[in-house]
Amino acid sequence: SAAGVKKMARPPPADPRDTAEFKFITFTEKPPFTPKHKSLMAKNLTDEIWAKYKDAKTSKGYTFSNAIQAGVLRPHLGVGITMGDEECFELFKDIVYPVVKGWHGFDPSTQFHKSDLDASKLKFSSAQAKKFDEYVVSTRVRAARNISGFSLPPGSDEKDRLGVESVLKQAFASFSGELQGTYYPLGKLSKEDEDSLQANGFLFQKPGPAQLLGAAGAARTWPDGRGIFHNSNKTALAWCNEEDHCRIISMQNGGDIKSVFARFCSISDTIKAAAKKNGADLMYSKRLGFLGTCPSNLGTGLRASVMIKLPELNKDPKKLEEICDQFDLQPRGSSGEHSAAVGAKWDISNKQRLGFSEVELVQKMIDGVTKIIAIEEKIAGGMTPEQALKAVK
């Protein structure tokens, strides 16, 4: 009937978190996906799951429509679902778990994650340290941390955003020794600070509407509540309220991965202590590990990487990718995929995030890079890449 059609077409009430430039959409029926929709969300969203979740929302008001909005509007996204707060993982479990399994090869319905932030457990001999210093230009370890009780950026409102910033500012203020530094609120940057942060590669930009975060509503009321912390010798960096509440990065020139990881653990522990002081904790689950906005970044959420010079392997990027793959590592060249890197400098990092502890992933990176350096040296000595790989494995 005409009245029925009219009723169906009636726009749902506006979301209180809408802004002038961003509107949350309420899908009244299951979105029509096209072959262009690449995401795991689109592949796993059955009629049954849609019927189960279409009216579901968390106690903070994040709806299933909110969670899938970015994946529906941006077909190119690989994951296609965002978490607006901690409850989403449990509430929308029937789609979150298959997405996690598809991305990580880890099944949260039967498996558990484990965390280990004890840097003293790393095995890194003085012989390895010497080799790393010879080949490695710089080393970094980064991950996301979120504070329980507050919405994640896609679902956040001003109160939660500023609440997160307040907890993080307390954490930054309690850093001592080499971690001491300055917090720069993004909305109050002087031209001088902005130029300096930009020059160091520390500045993050407002996510555009084509990107996951922009399409998910994580850029609302930008730049309020966002900011950047770094210590004075620029080896500790933290982003506040970008994709997650906090992204922490420990980095330095050279190959001293043990120091870089120890510093990372210390930053994480300090943020956890500040959260506890405020009657909160870090978002963490026994099955999924550290929780965050994008399911691709669960578990350790950790990326440990070295920028390394490999002149021989650089001549055959496809071979380098194959070799890295055998050690669960991912090479990224400065010129994009499958092409030689400028100055033969490659960024090599752990592929996995979930189901291994932080110590295990950093150890895998150390062991794999040690073998890659040995292969590089054998090729320089006249072997073919195949012979070198056989000799080293």
Side-chain angles (χ1 to χ4, degrees):
S1 72
V5 170
K6 205 168 170 186
K7 194 172 146 207
M8 231 170 80
R10 205 175 53 207
D15 190 299
R17 293 162 306 179
D18 283 353
T19 60
E21 60 170 45
F22 182 87
K23 305 281 180 270
F24 283 104
I25 298 166
T26 298
F27 300 104
T28 49
E29 47 199 82
K30 187 181 161 206
F33 293 114
T34 69
K36 284 203 174 90
H37 281 87
K38 300 268 181 284
S39 75
L40 287 162
M41 177 277 292
K43 290 192 175 80
N44 285 288
L45 183 49
T46 61
D47 293 343
E48 293 77 43
I49 289 176
W50 170 254
K52 180 174 179 178
Y53 290 149
K54 64 181 171 45
D55 300 317
K57 68 169 157 186
T58 67
S59 56
K60 282 188 171 288
Y62 199 73
T63 67
F64 189 61
S65 284
N66 296 162
I68 65 172
Q69 177 163 337
V72 174
L73 298 185
R74 302 288 175 260
H76 69 278
L77 294 173
V79 175
I81 188 166
T82 53
M83 305 287 100
D85 55 54
E86 219 167 345
E87 267 176 56
C88 294
F89 292 94
E90 189 55 38
L91 183 62
F92 305 137
K93 188 164 77 175
D94 293 359
I95 191 156
V96 171
Y97 281 16
V99 165
V100 167
K101 191 177 177 185
W103 189 269
H104 297 277
F106 171 96
D107 184 358
S109 54
T110 59
Q111 290 175 276
F112 292 89
H113 179 73
K114 50 188 184 292
S115 177
D116 187 352
L117 291 164
D118 180 354
S120 69
K121 292 183 185 168
L122 288 180
K123 294 176 178 59
F124 188 54
S125 68
S126 51
Q128 280 175 304
K130 216 173 141 215
K131 280 285 178 222
F132 270 56
D133 275 340
E134 213 178 303
Y135 285 85
V136 173
V137 182
S138 62
T139 305
R140 61 168 50 199
V141 174
R142 66 119 172 110
R145 292 291 183 263
N146 291 289
I147 297 152
S148 61
F150 296 99
S151 290
L152 290 162
S156 205
D157 57 18
E158 187 181 32
K159 183 169 153 283
D160 275 7
R161 206 175 287 117
L162 297 179
V164 165
E165 187 183 37
S166 159
V167 173
L168 291 177
K169 276 157 76 168
Q170 290 172 48
F172 303 149
S174 68
F175 282 148
S176 57
E178 66 136 12
L179 288 181
Q180 278 179 312
T182 310
Y183 178 69
Y184 301 91
L186 216 51
K188 303 187 175 87
L189 288 183
S190 68
K191 183 79 186 92
E192 194 182 350
D193 287 340
E194 188 171 345
D195 292 344
S196 142
L197 290 166
Q198 182 81 51
N200 284 296
F202 293 170
L203 201 60
F204 57 90
Q205 305 300 335
K206 177 178 180 177
Q211 294 163 288
L212 168 78
L213 293 180
R220 286 167 297 125
T221 67
W222 197 271
D224 304 353
R226 280 88 175 180
I228 297 163
F229 166 88
H230 69 78
N231 65 344
S232 44
N233 50 7
K234 302 186 171 76
T235 55
L237 173 68
W239 287 358
C240 171
N241 282 324
E242 188 239 9
E243 175 171 332
D244 289 287
H245 291 164
C246 190
R247 168 168 287 195
I248 50 182
I249 304 166
S250 167
M251 58 194 166
Q252 68 192 53
N253 290 332
D256 185 359
I257 178 66
K258 219 167 172 173
S259 295
V260 172
F261 183 58
R263 186 186 307 114
F264 168 84
C265 297
S266 162
I267 300 169
S268 178
D269 291 343
T270 307
I271 291 170
K272 184 179 173 77
K276 290 203 139 159
K277 232 189 217 154
N278 282 271
D281 202 342
L282 297 177
M283 288 188 190
Y284 187 85
S285 104
K286 288 201 291 267
R287 292 186 185 275
L288 297 168
F290 287 102
L291 303 175
T293 291
C294 183
S296 65
N297 229 4
L298 298 171
T300 59
L302 178 118
R303 185 168 184 268
S305 62
V306 290
M307 181 64 78
I308 184 170
K309 280 199 227 153
L310 300 167
E312 295 302 327
L313 284 163
N314 192 47
K315 294 170 186 168
D316 189 352
K318 204 146 174 38
K319 194 81 211 157
L320 174 60
E321 283 174 29
E322 281 167 28
I323 290 169
C324 284
D325 203 40
Q326 302 200 11
F327 303 125
D328 295 319
L329 297 174
Q330 182 174 30
R332 297 181 187 189
S334 45
S335 324
E337 274 188 276
H338 316 310
S339 52
V342 178
K345 281 203 282 198
W346 286 85
D347 172 299
I348 294 183
S349 64
N350 57 296
K351 255 190 190 159
Q352 294 138 323
R353 300 277 183 272
L354 181 56
F356 299 86
S357 75
E358 291 82 358
V359 168
E360 286 172 326
L361 290 179
V362 175
Q363 191 63 57
K364 278 180 113 165
M365 194 268 277
I366 291 171
D367 297 344
V369 170
T370 299
K371 288 185 167 165
I372 289 165
I373 291 172
I375 291 167
E376 172 73 18
E377 293 188 334
K378 289 195 184 308
I379 299 171
M383 280 189 181
T384 67
E386 278 77 12
Q387 292 167 328
L389 182 60
K390 269 209 184 81
V392 167
K393 275 203 98 165

